[in-house]
Amino acid sequence: MAERSCRQAEETGTVVRPQGSHAPVIPSKDDPKQLPDPVSDLSVGGWEITDEPVGRLSVWAVSLQGKVWYREDVSHPNPEGSSWSLVDTPGEAVQISCGPQDLLWVTLWEGQALVRQGIDRHNPKGSSWSLVEPPSPEVGLMHVSVGIHVVWAVTKDKKVWFRRGVSSHNPGGTSWIQMVGEMLMVDVGLKDQVWGIGGEERALYFRQGVTPSELSGKAWKAIVAGRDCDWSHSGSLSSLLSAGCFFGDEVRGSGESSAPSDTDAPSEVDRQGPGQPLPVEPLPGLGSHTGSAPHPGSGQVADWTEGCASPAAGTGEATPACEPQPGPASLPAELPWTNVDLQDPARGPGPSAPGPTEAAGLSSLGLLSLGLEETCGADEHPLWAWVSGGACAVEAHMALKWFTVQPGLSPSVQALSLPITPAQTTAWRKQIFQQLTERTKRELENFRHYEQAVEQSVWVKTGSLQWWCDWKPHKWVDVRVALEQFTGHDGVRDSVLFLYYVVHEEKKYVHVFLNEVTALVPLLSETRPSCTLYTPERTRQRWPVRLAAATEQEMNDWLALLSLSCCESRKVHGRPSPQALWSVTCKGDVFVSEPGPGLEDPEHPLPCDQLFWWQMGGHLRVVEANSRGVVWGLGYDHTAWVYTGGCGGGCQGLGSSSGSIYIQSDVKCVRIYENQRWNPVTGYSSRGLPTDRHMWSDVSGLQELTKASARPPSLQWVWDSDWYVDFSVPGGADPEGWQYAPDFPASYHGYKTLKDFVRRRCWARKCKLVTCGPWLEVAPVPLRDVSIIPESPEAPSAGHSVALWAISDKGDVLCRLGVSELNPAGSSWLHVGTDQPFVSISVGTCYQVWAVARDGSAFYRGAVSHSQPAGDCWFHVASPPKQRLKQVSVGQTSVYALDENGNLWHRQGVTPSHPQGACWEHVSNNVRQVSVGPLDQVWVIADKVQGSRGLSRGTVCHRTGVQPHEPKGRGWDYGIGGGWDHISIRANATRTPRSGSQEAGGEQEAPGGPVRC
């Protein structure tokens, strides 16, 4: 019976082990859906899928043809399952790994990985595949292993990688992290513990320090796992017997399988009588290595489950070891199949004595070692080829005794790290700690009478907030919040924010290190005061931590405290530098960031998701600055403000500098739309079709909004007027304020025609905000746009006034006189004549003034200079075909414009002799605002940026690869967002420090190099 089972297993290539014995799973030749060829990889998991029936398993297989198969109806009562189902894949699979829950990864032949989406108790096979690129395009993935919350992988160059951000709602993770060491393979076991086989020395390793809070672990440690030929020096027979482990010198051949059980024979020593020798057959060409095995070419495997009596076989009695059936002694050169029993055979010239127990935790670790053709020397270690820890539970409190130095392995290889002192025992650590404590006491004894200069302390603030849960059911969850702030001996403060919550009657927590927070942003919400915390990782995912409070005051208190803690952790104090980046959110909050020296490096720029943004007091719609410290801002009510040099203010009571904070107010309008449809009997009526928009709605028509339900933007705003008809809508309106169109939605106009069957009317109501910040009002002209000349690095730092141009709310072009560092507000306005109203203006580093008129066309102002600040005449520049421009931004040599449809354009052919350029070239779409700096760097506010949960609107983006010979750049780097409305990069004139070779080669500029003013 054992022979028949083994032969059937060899023919099928697939083996499932039910009820303590191996039973073949034979595919049906009549069913084309069954496996047409043997299996090259197999993975079992899925026993912890949420709400799954107890005992159900997921068995996945990869055939030699690269196809993925799923075994139906596998459970504890029916471990063999019923049938195979083919799961289509977009590529040829080579390896598969299934976790206990809903993680399933597949390695493709091309080196990429596939992640199965939609696995749950209703659909254990999942619904679709998503592709994950390898860490390096040149080196693909070779092996992958998944657990509950982790994914480990090995690339073809034997590098080990850990997948960051893996979770149930994001099984594909976010990015790869390279780990120390090289491996042939890794395996994730229970509780996400990790095992591995070394790349060069092929030693067995275990990942130490893997905990729920540290899923990647800390270090690799080599495990002593001796073979039958080196029990005398690398492992103890008694330890192997107590652990129930089977270490075999097996070479897995095509279509063959050998899987001795670690549970079928709990007491193998009892099977061998005290006076019975082990049957030994010498193997040709293997030296002194002997074992109990069939002859080569016999096609038989020694069956430990049915060939010998065991409890799993039903006898319950221990019997002497069974001899394998011998086969014909032919083909002596082929490598045989062997099963190494755990009796005490006579090996070599003399017996080997068992050592102390040192592998008590390896009870369920399956191992396969290659190198049968090699002689086992006294100083050699086993060359392992495969490991599986799927049933080996390692507790954090267990004292593991696996890690002793194997012969042939250096201490540095033992830990896969740099060589360190060999004393690593607990006693040694206690001794070192005691010596350090005594030395500290001796050194401090002489300074007891001195007053302590810096006190190390811990300070904690607790409270109750609400946290937006990242997973289903995606709702607000009540949490206990604790901000722990500690001060080190060096006086540096750092903080950690803890969120404690309960899910399914289980207490959990989330923590955020405030020195990793890149932005703390108040949210624009009508229902509850809330804010978001960004980190670089969550910035890339477009999924920040969202918190809400019960009252506005409570939210402001937490915002002030968290903002102060973030700034202290990053040592940010005082006013920003003149080179700082300025930005404004859709809520009107002003943020500032200090640029790093490599931010504009053309080859390796600093990722803009690493920038730290902190809030500056005040409320504005637009902020513009230059590198001489002149900063202007515009409110929603078109009031102009100038920066005073202070820091702080705002509704959150941010840390303020006395003497530079002033009261600031802003006014904006809330607009709703009254919609009507033509009725042949009654004329225009408030009764529309069933498919029409709401008769009172927002501008999109998707949200119902009436005069009674409309609210100010947030709780900080209060109504400042009653509802009135707004006649200043795009497209115009009739005397009653109505706009007409053929249908919803369409292009509206201010007059009725016979084809107009719908109309709408805009109602507006003003609301007012009063706050404080480092801003002074510049009276008395309301402004629509403002631009300050960006100082180039070659320009003199002082001695001349700063050019500042603006557009009034009526469309007039103005030039501000007398602006300088000492007088940033300037002295007076100079009107510049135009033949039509303008909407946008920008001045470049060489006094190039570009503007956009209300009709969407562009204009260039000629002969502008320091001595002639207003220039002499306008030159018309046609807009891109079929587009109306709405904004323009000019740097040193580059001119960028934005049209009403969100398309970004670059002006080609701009030279000193032909400053108007030649033509427009399209760069990108979905752009809301653009800013070009003095180094021709390009930053934008973009819409529809893909994140892990959907599209993000209002995201700060940096154009990469911008160089003199490639002014358009090559791609985008995505930063903070969404919810941003404006950014100004025009103050950052910091060049990347160049090496000596770059400086030597940079003396001669390329033909298309920068224009010197």
Side-chain angles (χ1 to χ4, degrees), residues 350-373:
S352 58
T357 301
E358 50 184 317
L362 294 172
S363 59
S364 302
L365 183 65
L367 295 169
L368 177 65
S369 177
L370 283 175
L372 187 64
E373 70 280 4

PDB file of all heavy atoms in Angstrom, residues 350-373:
ATOM      1  N   GLY A 350      33.512   5.439  14.498  1.00  0.00           N
ATOM      2  CA  GLY A 350      33.138   5.327  15.886  1.00  0.00           C
ATOM      3  C   GLY A 350      31.836   5.999  16.171  1.00  0.00           C
ATOM      4  O   GLY A 350      31.378   6.842  15.435  1.00  0.00           O
ATOM      5  N   PRO A 351      31.154   5.656  17.265  1.00  0.00           N
ATOM      6  CA  PRO A 351      29.859   6.283  17.596  1.00  0.00           C
ATOM      7  C   PRO A 351      30.065   7.714  18.048  1.00  0.00           C
ATOM      8  O   PRO A 351      31.132   8.098  18.520  1.00  0.00           O
ATOM      9  CB  PRO A 351      29.320   5.392  18.724  1.00  0.00           C
ATOM     10  CG  PRO A 351      30.547   4.828  19.381  1.00  0.00           C
ATOM     11  CD  PRO A 351      31.562   4.654  18.289  1.00  0.00           C
ATOM     12  N   SER A 352      29.029   8.504  17.885  1.00  0.00           N
ATOM     13  CA  SER A 352      29.045   9.900  18.337  1.00  0.00           C
ATOM     14  C   SER A 352      28.093  10.053  19.492  1.00  0.00           C
ATOM     15  O   SER A 352      26.964   9.601  19.443  1.00  0.00           O
ATOM     16  CB  SER A 352      28.657  10.847  17.201  1.00  0.00           C
ATOM     17  OG  SER A 352      27.391  10.514  16.729  1.00  0.00           O
ATOM     18  N   ALA A 353      28.529  10.718  20.512  1.00  0.00           N
ATOM     19  CA  ALA A 353      27.710  10.883  21.709  1.00  0.00           C
ATOM     20  C   ALA A 353      26.804  12.066  21.556  1.00  0.00           C
ATOM     21  O   ALA A 353      27.195  13.107  21.085  1.00  0.00           O
ATOM     22  CB  ALA A 353      28.622  11.071  22.921  1.00  0.00           C
ATOM     23  N   PRO A 354      25.559  11.936  21.961  1.00  0.00           N
ATOM     24  CA  PRO A 354      24.640  13.070  21.883  1.00  0.00           C
ATOM     25  C   PRO A 354      25.036  14.160  22.849  1.00  0.00           C
ATOM     26  O   PRO A 354      25.568  13.885  23.926  1.00  0.00           O
ATOM     27  CB  PRO A 354      23.273  12.457  22.223  1.00  0.00           C
ATOM     28  CG  PRO A 354      23.594  11.245  23.039  1.00  0.00           C
ATOM     29  CD  PRO A 354      24.897  10.719  22.525  1.00  0.00           C
ATOM     30  N   GLY A 355      24.757  15.421  22.443  1.00  0.00           N
ATOM     31  CA  GLY A 355      25.064  16.571  23.272  1.00  0.00           C
ATOM     32  C   GLY A 355      23.858  17.055  24.022  1.00  0.00           C
ATOM     33  O   GLY A 355      22.812  16.442  24.050  1.00  0.00           O
ATOM     34  N   PRO A 356      23.961  18.207  24.657  1.00  0.00           N
ATOM     35  CA  PRO A 356      22.844  18.762  25.426  1.00  0.00           C
ATOM     36  C   PRO A 356      21.725  19.220  24.511  1.00  0.00           C
ATOM     37  O   PRO A 356      21.909  19.477  23.338  1.00  0.00           O
ATOM     38  CB  PRO A 356      23.484  19.956  26.169  1.00  0.00           C
ATOM     39  CG  PRO A 356      24.669  20.311  25.322  1.00  0.00           C
ATOM     40  CD  PRO A 356      25.156  19.044  24.727  1.00  0.00           C
ATOM     41  N   THR A 357      20.571  19.362  25.102  1.00  0.00           N
ATOM     42  CA  THR A 357      19.408  19.800  24.334  1.00  0.00           C
ATOM     43  C   THR A 357      19.576  21.259  23.947  1.00  0.00           C
ATOM     44  O   THR A 357      19.827  22.106  24.777  1.00  0.00           O
ATOM     45  CB  THR A 357      18.126  19.639  25.171  1.00  0.00           C
ATOM     46  OG1 THR A 357      18.011  18.285  25.520  1.00  0.00           O
ATOM     47  CG2 THR A 357      16.914  20.100  24.401  1.00  0.00           C
ATOM     48  N   GLU A 358      19.397  21.571  22.607  1.00  0.00           N
ATOM     49  CA  GLU A 358      19.570  22.953  22.153  1.00  0.00           C
ATOM     50  C   GLU A 358      18.656  23.291  20.998  1.00  0.00           C
ATOM     51  O   GLU A 358      18.887  24.262  20.318  1.00  0.00           O
ATOM     52  CB  GLU A 358      21.023  23.195  21.761  1.00  0.00           C
ATOM     53  CG  GLU A 358      21.580  22.140  20.810  1.00  0.00           C
ATOM     54  CD  GLU A 358      23.040  22.367  20.528  1.00  0.00           C
ATOM     55  OE1 GLU A 358      23.396  23.524  20.320  1.00  0.00           O
ATOM     56  OE2 GLU A 358      23.812  21.413  20.526  1.00  0.00           O
ATOM     57  N   ALA A 359      17.629  22.524  20.733  1.00  0.00           N
ATOM     58  CA  ALA A 359      16.714  22.843  19.636  1.00  0.00           C
ATOM     59  C   ALA A 359      15.286  22.582  20.031  1.00  0.00           C
ATOM     60  O   ALA A 359      14.489  22.088  19.262  1.00  0.00           O
ATOM     61  CB  ALA A 359      17.095  22.040  18.401  1.00  0.00           C
ATOM     62  N   ALA A 360      14.941  22.939  21.248  1.00  0.00           N
ATOM     63  CA  ALA A 360      13.608  22.602  21.738  1.00  0.00           C
ATOM     64  C   ALA A 360      12.511  23.352  21.035  1.00  0.00           C
ATOM     65  O   ALA A 360      11.356  22.982  21.130  1.00  0.00           O
ATOM     66  CB  ALA A 360      13.544  22.871  23.234  1.00  0.00           C
ATOM     67  N   GLY A 361      12.808  24.407  20.339  1.00  0.00           N
ATOM     68  CA  GLY A 361      11.761  25.161  19.670  1.00  0.00           C
ATOM     69  C   GLY A 361      11.586  24.842  18.225  1.00  0.00           C
ATOM     70  O   GLY A 361      10.796  25.470  17.552  1.00  0.00           O
ATOM     71  N   LEU A 362      12.301  23.875  17.684  1.00  0.00           N
ATOM     72  CA  LEU A 362      12.264  23.574  16.256  1.00  0.00           C
ATOM     73  C   LEU A 362      11.333  22.417  15.955  1.00  0.00           C
ATOM     74  O   LEU A 362      11.540  21.681  15.000  1.00  0.00           O
ATOM     75  CB  LEU A 362      13.673  23.243  15.745  1.00  0.00           C
ATOM     76  CG  LEU A 362      14.666  24.391  15.780  1.00  0.00           C
ATOM     77  CD1 LEU A 362      16.055  23.891  15.447  1.00  0.00           C
ATOM     78  CD2 LEU A 362      14.243  25.465  14.819  1.00  0.00           C
ATOM     79  N   SER A 363      10.318  22.236  16.756  1.00  0.00           N
ATOM     80  CA  SER A 363       9.505  21.034  16.648  1.00  0.00           C
ATOM     81  C   SER A 363       8.788  20.914  15.328  1.00  0.00           C
ATOM     82  O   SER A 363       8.464  19.827  14.901  1.00  0.00           O
ATOM     83  CB  SER A 363       8.486  21.010  17.784  1.00  0.00           C
ATOM     84  OG  SER A 363       7.675  22.148  17.704  1.00  0.00           O
ATOM     85  N   SER A 364       8.512  21.995  14.659  1.00  0.00           N
ATOM     86  CA  SER A 364       7.734  21.918  13.419  1.00  0.00           C
ATOM     87  C   SER A 364       8.422  22.603  12.273  1.00  0.00           C
ATOM     88  O   SER A 364       7.776  23.113  11.378  1.00  0.00           O
ATOM     89  CB  SER A 364       6.344  22.530  13.631  1.00  0.00           C
ATOM     90  OG  SER A 364       5.671  21.872  14.669  1.00  0.00           O
ATOM     91  N   LEU A 365       9.730  22.640  12.302  1.00  0.00           N
ATOM     92  CA  LEU A 365      10.479  23.316  11.239  1.00  0.00           C
ATOM     93  C   LEU A 365      10.950  22.291  10.232  1.00  0.00           C
ATOM     94  O   LEU A 365      11.764  21.437  10.536  1.00  0.00           O
ATOM     95  CB  LEU A 365      11.680  24.056  11.835  1.00  0.00           C
ATOM     96  CG  LEU A 365      12.524  24.864  10.862  1.00  0.00           C
ATOM     97  CD1 LEU A 365      11.689  25.995  10.302  1.00  0.00           C
ATOM     98  CD2 LEU A 365      13.754  25.393  11.550  1.00  0.00           C
ATOM     99  N   GLY A 366      10.400  22.341   9.001  1.00  0.00           N
ATOM    100  CA  GLY A 366      10.805  21.404   7.968  1.00  0.00           C
ATOM    101  C   GLY A 366      12.019  21.918   7.228  1.00  0.00           C
ATOM    102  O   GLY A 366      12.087  23.089   6.864  1.00  0.00           O
ATOM    103  N   LEU A 367      12.995  21.043   7.014  1.00  0.00           N
ATOM    104  CA  LEU A 367      14.237  21.459   6.376  1.00  0.00           C
ATOM    105  C   LEU A 367      14.585  20.515   5.247  1.00  0.00           C
ATOM    106  O   LEU A 367      14.301  19.324   5.305  1.00  0.00           O
ATOM    107  CB  LEU A 367      15.390  21.477   7.385  1.00  0.00           C
ATOM    108  CG  LEU A 367      15.269  22.497   8.517  1.00  0.00           C
ATOM    109  CD1 LEU A 367      16.325  22.223   9.553  1.00  0.00           C
ATOM    110  CD2 LEU A 367      15.408  23.885   7.970  1.00  0.00           C
ATOM    111  N   LEU A 368      15.219  21.007   4.236  1.00  0.00           N
ATOM    112  CA  LEU A 368      15.736  20.210   3.138  1.00  0.00           C
ATOM    113  C   LEU A 368      17.142  20.679   2.841  1.00  0.00           C
ATOM    114  O   LEU A 368      17.365  21.856   2.630  1.00  0.00           O
ATOM    115  CB  LEU A 368      14.865  20.367   1.886  1.00  0.00           C
ATOM    116  CG  LEU A 368      15.345  19.622   0.644  1.00  0.00           C
ATOM    117  CD1 LEU A 368      15.298  18.133   0.889  1.00  0.00           C
ATOM    118  CD2 LEU A 368      14.497  19.982  -0.548  1.00  0.00           C
ATOM    119  N   SER A 369      18.087  19.754   2.845  1.00  0.00           N
ATOM    120  CA  SER A 369      19.487  20.120   2.631  1.00  0.00           C
ATOM    121  C   SER A 369      19.990  19.516   1.341  1.00  0.00           C
ATOM    122  O   SER A 369      19.736  18.367   1.038  1.00  0.00           O
ATOM    123  CB  SER A 369      20.347  19.626   3.795  1.00  0.00           C
ATOM    124  OG  SER A 369      21.696  19.913   3.540  1.00  0.00           O
ATOM    125  N   LEU A 370      20.699  20.318   0.554  1.00  0.00           N
ATOM    126  CA  LEU A 370      21.353  19.854  -0.656  1.00  0.00           C
ATOM    127  C   LEU A 370      22.808  19.546  -0.357  1.00  0.00           C
ATOM    128  O   LEU A 370      23.349  19.926   0.673  1.00  0.00           O
ATOM    129  CB  LEU A 370      21.258  20.915  -1.755  1.00  0.00           C
ATOM    130  CG  LEU A 370      19.918  21.013  -2.445  1.00  0.00           C
ATOM    131  CD1 LEU A 370      19.956  22.181  -3.419  1.00  0.00           C
ATOM    132  CD2 LEU A 370      19.580  19.738  -3.168  1.00  0.00           C
ATOM    133  N   GLY A 371      23.473  18.910  -1.313  1.00  0.00           N
ATOM    134  CA  GLY A 371      24.882  18.611  -1.144  1.00  0.00           C
ATOM    135  C   GLY A 371      25.138  17.176  -0.782  1.00  0.00           C
ATOM    136  O   GLY A 371      26.090  16.863  -0.061  1.00  0.00           O
ATOM    137  N   LEU A 372      24.286  16.251  -1.225  1.00  0.00           N
ATOM    138  CA  LEU A 372      24.478  14.853  -0.918  1.00  0.00           C
ATOM    139  C   LEU A 372      25.751  14.309  -1.527  1.00  0.00           C
ATOM    140  O   LEU A 372      26.346  13.383  -1.030  1.00  0.00           O
ATOM    141  CB  LEU A 372      23.263  14.044  -1.418  1.00  0.00           C
ATOM    142  CG  LEU A 372      23.203  12.564  -1.035  1.00  0.00           C
ATOM    143  CD1 LEU A 372      23.077  12.425   0.471  1.00  0.00           C
ATOM    144  CD2 LEU A 372      22.037  11.891  -1.722  1.00  0.00           C
ATOM    145  N   GLU A 373      26.164  14.954  -2.648  1.00  0.00           N
ATOM    146  CA  GLU A 373      27.362  14.464  -3.295  1.00  0.00           C
ATOM    147  C   GLU A 373      28.616  14.907  -2.582  1.00  0.00           C
ATOM    148  O   GLU A 373      29.711  14.508  -2.957  1.00  0.00           O
ATOM    149  CB  GLU A 373      27.392  14.970  -4.742  1.00  0.00           C
ATOM    150  CG  GLU A 373      27.643  16.471  -4.878  1.00  0.00           C
ATOM    151  CD  GLU A 373      26.389  17.296  -4.636  1.00  0.00           C
ATOM    152  OE1 GLU A 373      25.359  16.688  -4.289  1.00  0.00           O
ATOM    153  OE2 GLU A 373      26.441  18.521  -4.795  1.00  0.00           O
TER     154      GLU A 373
END
